[in-house]
Amino acid sequence: MMNSTEEEYRGCEIMEKDVHVTFLELMYYLLPSPYESQEINHLTLAYFVISGLDILDSLHKVAKDAVVSWVLSFQAHPGAKTDLNDGQFYGFHGSKTSQFPPDENGVLIHNNSHLASTYCAISILKIVGYELSNLDSETIVTSMRNLQQPDGSFIPIHTGGETDLRFVYCAAAICFMLDNWSGMDKEKTKDYILRCQSYDGGFGLVPGAESHGGATYCAMASLRLMGFIEDNILSSCASSSLIDAPLLLDWILQRQGTDGGFQGRPNKSSDTCYAFWIGAVLRILGGFKFVDNKALRGFLLSCQYKYGGFSKFPGEYPDLYHSYYGFTAFSLLEESGLKSLFSELGITENAALAL
Amino acid sequence: MESGSSEGEEVQQRVPLRERVEWSDVTPVPQNDGPNPVVPIQYTEEFSEVMDYFRAVYLTDERSPRALALTAEAVQFNSGNYTVWHFRRLLLESLKVDLNDELEFVERMAAGNSKNYQMWCDALLCSFFHTLHHRRWVAEKLGPEARNNELEFTKKILSVDAKHYHAWSHRQWALQTLGGWEDEPNYCTELLKEDIFNNSAWNQRYFVITRSPF
Ligand SMILES: [Zn+2]
């Protein structure tokens, strides 16, 4: 990444909400061509834009009906005679390059439904207020069971792929939003998550892997969505036997650096997105009060771009991913004018609880 | 943001598919974005063209060497496209390609991907893991003979970025599936001598001590 000039950063002492809204609006109308390399995650990119506008209390900028029909156009529908135990997953395609029309009998020959896209699709629908009971959720969750592996993890797509906590989280979030847990064996899922907790208290993406802020978020948010841990577990000792909460707290509190930002792993640089991944875990644990809010704010402002958005590191050009997690982080910091966040889903409370 | 700049030169020298004789019999299938696309992407001409030709061969299930070459071009534009990767695996099987050549292809892809990997952050959204998943498939087919290859391949990535999360996870997979634990404690020590604060190397040390069959 190139460094932008100091000039473009000078004087950022407040969170420039209006500038960020304009930035997202531009993205809403057209994503610049460098994003084509992420085309396969088109629904995820859309999620960042639309949910970002919601966090910035500007959802009125979005044409909700158009969003709904566009998102629904990615859904994979099984043919009339399809057996839902055929090993496939009938969720949402990630993008148009992964989606192909069904044959003349309505049979979907090329089904590329993906767990992450399905999670983003349902989140967007929830954000714009679509009535999720209109969705054939039974098909989504029943076929989702085909993705769960004997060890409790999930493959993201029926043709295979890595299994790790990201897709466990997507599966848990889908079940939670559709209010239907028949999509997974919860006990097995829980066992897999617990096997990802490392010796230092954090969670790795797979058993044996190094503790990582994003993986730790996926683990804790999933356990919370699944109802295995209570909110605020630090103040109640009831569930402390499930995970090693004191060790986790120890690990997570050490992630705030001297520059005020959060790092994803020990001895790595602070990075905007971990302000959310780590901050949200602290919120779930009931430990956000231990954060040096002022210092975190200062770090985030050093990553705020003059023309809107946030970068990964101070003084760089912004990208959509880090911009989104910059907004969510400011919401965790209770920035005025921003909507409050439902940490476990990473969307606004209003959207998550259908207020 | 920037991406794909490492392929920049190749893109400039690229002859469009529609001007290549070997593709003259194929009619590209344009993308159907529907009536009201939301959050549209400003596609470059090259990207659209490659994907239009990919759609054509994918829909006719053409198992040919040119289709294989096309998947290589397509993943360079869109390295996270699991549909393209999956089709490539089907082609490798049908065409009985020497999988050692495929390892080389993945290596070149991995080198070209590193920028993209940086941009999309350490782990959650990066598309690099699709490349490694593909590599895993190849290595599994090759069996134990792939062991040294995999350990050397990850070593190469780790020599550039000693904390590369997906490289470490690929290495742990290789050790567990193909073996090669004997030298791992020394490798960890070596890395820790270079950087005592390399937490990934400490984690690997713990991994070896607790999981190695020796
Ligand atoms: Zn980041």
Side-chain angles (χ1 to χ4, degrees):
Chain A
M1 292 247 171
M2 286 173 291
N3 285 318
S4 52
T5 64
E6 229 174 86
E7 170 65 24
E8 286 167 307
Y9 278 87
R10 201 175 298 148
C12 289
E13 267 158 34
I14 51 163
M15 197 272 193
E16 302 273 6
K17 184 186 144 190
D18 294 343
V19 182
H20 294 304
V21 171
T22 308
F23 168 81
L24 286 181
E25 267 189 286
L26 289 173
M27 297 287 181
Y28 177 72
Y29 287 109
L30 190 64
L31 287 170
S33 54
Y35 284 100
E36 75 185 1
S37 67
Q38 292 295 324
E39 188 274 348
I40 195 75
N41 300 316
H42 203 167
L43 276 173
T44 307
L45 297 170
Y47 162 82
F48 289 147
V49 173
I50 294 163
S51 188
L53 284 167
D54 188 25
I55 292 164
L56 299 177
D57 200 11
S58 301
L59 200 58
H60 57 275
K61 307 271 187 189
V62 166
K64 291 182 188 156
D65 291 340
V67 168
V68 167
S69 53
W70 181 71
V71 170
L72 291 178
S73 78
F74 290 96
Q75 195 175 358
H77 297 285
K81 293 186 191 120
T82 303
D83 172 10
L84 287 182
N85 298 314
D86 65 355
Q88 299 199 27
F89 170 49
Y90 295 93
F92 287 75
H93 294 94
S95 72
K96 293 299 175 192
T97 66
S98 59
Q99 187 176 27
F100 298 87
D103 70 6
E104 55 276 11
N105 302 315
V107 179
L108 198 61
I109 315 154
H110 301 293
N111 178 3
N112 296 306
S113 304
H114 196 281
L115 268 181
S117 320
T118 306
Y119 152 71
C120 289
I122 297 172
S123 301
I124 298 173
L125 291 173
K126 230 173 147 50
I127 291 163
V128 298
Y130 178 74
E131 184 51 65
L132 287 181
S133 57
N134 292 332
L135 211 57
D136 179 8
S137 51
E138 203 55 44
T139 296
I140 298 173
V141 289
T142 306
S143 63
M144 197 169 87
R145 283 195 88 104
N146 293 326
L147 301 179
Q148 190 163 28
Q149 303 300 295
D151 67 356
S153 66
F154 283 81
I155 46 172
I157 177 170
H158 79 91
T159 49
E162 309 293 84
T163 65
D164 61 46
L165 280 182
R166 284 174 303 183
F167 307 118
V168 165
Y169 170 73
C170 291
I174 291 165
C175 291
F176 180 86
M177 289 190 283
L178 296 177
D179 195 20
N180 184 342
W181 288 91
S182 60
M184 63 162 67
D185 181 330
K186 271 167 99 170
E187 284 298 318
K188 265 190 183 175
T189 313
K190 180 188 78 184
D191 291 344
Y192 181 79
I193 297 172
L194 297 182
R195 279 197 290 119
C196 293
Q197 188 169 25
S198 173
Y199 59 91
D200 59 9
F203 288 77
L205 270 181
V206 294
E210 183 186 5
S211 294
H212 180 281
T216 305
Y217 171 80
C218 290
M220 293 302 290
S222 302
L223 289 174
R224 177 85 193 95
L225 291 170
M226 291 160 73
F228 284 120
I229 53 171
E230 296 151 53
D231 209 358
N232 219 347
I233 60 167
L234 289 179
S235 50
S236 66
C237 43
S239 48
S240 56
S241 55
L242 188 60
I243 59 153
D244 193 334
L247 196 62
L248 170 60
L249 185 69
D250 195 43
W251 182 82
I252 205 121
L253 285 176
Q254 292 182 54
R255 300 287 68 79
Q256 186 164 27
T258 47
D259 58 4
F262 287 168
Q263 60 186 187
R265 292 183 267 160
N267 305 316
K268 295 272 288 179
S269 309
S270 296
D271 167 341
T272 298
C273 68
Y274 294 106
F276 172 76
W277 302 120
I278 301 287
V281 173
L282 279 164
R283 173 68 76 76
I284 292 168
L285 284 168
F288 200 79
K289 54 183 175 283
F290 300 122
V291 173
D292 183 342
N293 283 6
K294 205 171 158 237
L296 177 59
R297 213 185 129 81
F299 175 81
L300 291 171
L301 288 175
S302 73
C303 297
Q304 177 174 252
Y305 190 57
K306 191 180 177 185
Y307 303 113
F310 289 88
S311 53
K312 177 184 171 91
F313 297 134
E316 291 184 345
Y317 283 114
D319 66 74
L320 196 46
Y321 171 88
H322 287 97
S323 300
Y324 183 71
Y325 291 110
F327 306 147
T328 55
F330 268 101
S331 174
L332 288 175
L333 287 167
E334 296 174 8
E335 177 76 14
S336 74
L338 265 59
K339 287 205 213 159
S340 50
L341 208 64
F342 188 78
S343 310
E344 296 90 323
L345 288 179
I347 60 178
T348 65
E349 241 166 37
N350 285 6
L353 307 172
L355 298 174
Chain B
M1 84 176 243
E2 56 166 15
S3 70
S5 53
S6 52
E7 285 108 48
E9 281 167 46
E10 279 169 52
V11 171
Q12 270 171 13
Q13 294 161 8
R14 228 183 129 253
V15 177
L17 289 155
R18 60 182 180 279
E19 288 171 19
R20 297 187 207 171
V21 191
E22 71 268 30
W23 285 103
S24 55
D25 61 313
V26 174
T27 312
V29 180
Q31 179 160 318
N32 179 6
D33 273 317
N36 290 308
V38 172
V39 201
I41 299 172
Q42 188 177 30
Y43 298 113
T44 60
E45 214 176 289
E46 292 90 348
F47 180 96
S48 301
E49 196 200 32
V50 168
M51 293 318 294
D52 292 353
Y53 277 84
F54 172 75
R55 256 185 291 277
V57 296
Y58 185 68
L59 286 170
T60 53
D61 198 20
E62 182 185 309
R63 308 281 176 102
S64 66
R66 71 172 179 187
L68 184 71
L70 184 64
T71 59
E73 284 193 53
V75 288
Q76 269 161 33
F77 282 103
N78 202 347
S79 67
N81 195 317
Y82 39 82
T83 307
V84 179
W85 281 115
H86 178 65
F87 189 53
R88 186 170 176 87
R89 287 192 280 278
L90 296 178
L91 288 163
L92 290 171
E93 277 182 333
S94 305
L95 303 171
K96 303 199 170 48
V97 173
D98 179 355
L99 291 176
N100 287 298
D101 295 343
E102 189 62 7
L103 290 180
E104 272 172 45
F105 169 72
V106 172
E107 209 143 316
R108 286 200 305 278
M109 274 297 295
N113 262 190
S114 52
K115 279 251 171 64
N116 224 329
Y117 169 79
Q118 292 296 339
M119 183 186 85
W120 284 99
C121 240
D122 293 346
L124 293 169
L125 248 185
C126 93
S127 48
F128 188 66
F129 71 97
H130 292 283
T131 313
L132 287 181
H133 171 66
H134 184 74
R135 173 120 189 160
R136 209 172 274 201
W137 178 86
V138 175
E140 250 165 11
K141 295 232 144 199
L142 287 170
E145 60 165 299
R147 173 206 291 184
N148 286 346
N149 273 335
E150 296 318 291
L151 295 178
E152 282 310 308
F153 168 70
T154 45
K155 227 179 215 176
K156 222 179 268 178
I157 301 178
L158 294 171
S159 70
V160 180
D161 175 3
K163 298 173 183 177
H164 194 298
Y165 203 82
H166 290 294
W168 278 112
S169 119
H170 186 76
R171 193 171 176 89
Q172 292 192 343
W173 168 83
L175 288 168
Q176 284 174 313
T177 316
L178 309 166
W181 296 89
E182 309 80 61
D183 297 328
E184 202 60 6
N186 287 336
Y187 180 54
C188 294
T189 308
E190 217 176 279
L191 286 176
L192 288 170
K193 269 186 191 155
E194 274 168 38
D195 174 12
I196 190 79
F197 296 112
N198 183 346
N199 194 57
S200 306
W202 283 112
N203 185 75
Q204 185 72 350
R205 209 177 123 80
Y206 183 87
F207 177 80
V208 174
I209 290 169
T210 53
R211 295 183 192 231
S212 155
F214 300 105

